[in-house]
């Protein structure tokens, strides 16, 4: 069962005599790690083992994603961000914030690898700016940025568990309703179905992030303003 495997009645990898840790909450993104490998889930989320953070001559994948997220978040928190319909203006704002973020990490003279990554980030942010301008023209409004939540997830036949998460952004349209966004920075973009479903022959989930966002936040969002949630 889900709760048993997660630690309520299972022994940790150290051995049968090791104490079982209390476990009554989980981050929404941790479900993906569990579905991929329960053992690695245990190491990361129960034992809290993480590789060391090192900033060398270039950003690793995690650092690259953190920088891009920080820039997009900064723009979304800017007063009137949803009213800007000129992509060049949005791009200018994002590129300026990108320089601020990189300066925090590298100082005023970044090394060659970091300079190359800056060009990649600039190109990706230019694409984001184009799409953001279109969304603004269509009437989407940014309602929440880095929205933290804790909600109880009922599990049939099991004790409920507290799920916590942070939605990158929540937008609302006057006629189309709500949408919950999660920004990804991988080289190859995937649709929500590609990211969350295993191959069709298996009919299994491989990530529960967006479905859980929708399930856990639906009541709160609809209570604020009726509408569909996508």
């Amino acid at each position: 069962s889900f709760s048993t495997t997660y630690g309520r009645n299972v022994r940790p990898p150290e051995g049968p005599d090791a104490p079982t840790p209390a476990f009554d909450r989980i981050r929404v993104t941790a479900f993906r790690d569990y579905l991929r490998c329960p053992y690695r889930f245990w190491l990361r989320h129960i034992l809290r083992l993480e590789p060391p953070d090192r900033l060398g001559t270039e950003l690793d994948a995690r650092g690259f994603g953190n920088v891009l997220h920080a820039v997009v978040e900064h723009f979304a928190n800017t007063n009137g961000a949803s009213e800007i319909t000129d992509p060049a203006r949005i791009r200018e704002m994002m590129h300026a914030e990108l320089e601020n973020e990189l300066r925090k990490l590298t100082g005023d003279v970044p090394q060659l690898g970091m300079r190359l990554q800056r060009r990649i980030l600039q190109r990706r942010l230019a694409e984001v700016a184009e799409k953001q301008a279109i969304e603004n023209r269509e009437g989407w409004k940014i309602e929440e940025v880095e929205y933290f939540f804790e909600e109880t997830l009922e599990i049939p036949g099991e004790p409920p568990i507290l799920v916590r998460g942070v939605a990158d952004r929540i937008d609302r349209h006057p006629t189309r309703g709500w949408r919950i966004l999660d920004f990804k920075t991988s080289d190859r973009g995937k649709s929500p179905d590609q990211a969350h479903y295993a191959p069709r022959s298996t009919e299994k989930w491989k990530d529960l992030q967006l479905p859980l966002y929708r399930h856990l936040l639906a009541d709160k969002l609809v209570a604020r303003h009726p509408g569909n949630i996508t």
Side-chain angles (χ1 to χ4, degrees):
S1 69
F2 175 83
S3 62
T4 300
T5 306
Y6 259 66
R8 288 194 174 98
N9 299 304
V10 75
R11 295 297 180 186
E14 291 88 344
D17 297 328
T20 301
F23 188 86
D24 60 358
R25 64 191 61 201
I26 181 176
R27 293 204 309 267
V28 68
T29 52
F31 284 89
R32 176 178 60 242
D33 295 335
Y34 174 76
L35 293 173
R36 288 177 177 174
C37 178
Y39 180 74
R40 291 182 180 178
F41 166 87
W42 187 286
L43 296 179
R44 180 176 181 183
H45 297 282
I46 305 300
L47 301 184
R48 305 292 185 184
L49 299 182
E50 290 279 0
D53 289 331
R54 294 178 298 197
L55 181 61
T57 58
E58 62 183 29
L59 298 168
D60 60 13
R62 181 178 180 181
F64 187 95
N66 287 343
V67 169
L68 192 143
H69 272 75
V71 173
V72 175
E73 177 186 350
H74 181 271
F75 170 80
N77 278 320
T78 303
N79 289 335
S82 299
E83 309 301 326
I84 305 174
T85 57
D86 179 7
R89 175 55 181 156
I90 299 175
R91 182 176 66 247
E92 178 186 357
M93 295 170 64
M94 289 185 173
H95 283 182
E97 182 57 24
L98 172 63
E99 295 304 311
N100 291 334
E101 290 296 324
L102 293 179
R103 194 175 298 112
K104 296 175 187 177
L105 299 173
T106 66
D108 293 328
V109 186
Q111 297 188 40
L112 176 60
M114 202 74 73
R115 294 201 299 270
L116 292 174
Q117 287 185 313
R118 178 171 60 188
R119 296 291 297 274
I120 297 172
L121 283 162
Q122 287 174 338
R123 288 198 295 269
R124 293 194 183 183
L125 288 169
E127 291 292 329
V128 173
E130 292 286 344
K131 290 179 171 55
Q132 185 65 59
I134 293 172
E135 303 296 335
N136 288 353
R137 288 195 292 269
E138 290 183 352
W140 286 98
K141 304 296 181 184
I142 300 170
E143 294 284 340
E144 300 285 351
V145 181
E146 292 293 304
Y147 181 72
F148 174 81
F149 64 89
E150 285 187 338
E151 297 291 337
T152 299
L153 178 65
E154 300 292 339
I155 304 174
E158 302 275 351
I161 191 169
L162 186 66
V163 179
R164 61 176 54 176
V166 180
D168 287 341
R169 210 172 81 191
I170 300 176
D171 296 353
R172 187 176 68 83
H173 191 278
T175 58
R176 300 181 192 176
W178 297 91
R179 66 181 180 186
I180 304 171
L181 302 178
D182 183 72
F183 297 110
K184 301 299 184 185
T185 58
S186 60
D187 292 336
R188 297 182 179 181
K190 294 181 179 180
S191 69
D193 283 347
Q194 291 173 329
H196 290 76
Y197 285 121
R200 291 185 178 180
S201 59
T202 66
E203 297 183 351
K204 292 182 178 179
W205 293 91
K206 62 180 181 179
D207 192 346
L208 301 178
Q209 185 178 9
L210 290 180
L212 282 173
Y213 281 170
R214 189 183 190 282
H215 176 72
L216 296 172
L217 297 178
D219 290 344
K220 283 187 174 181
L221 296 180
V222 173
R224 287 168 55 174
H225 193 281
N228 295 324
I229 300 177
T230 58

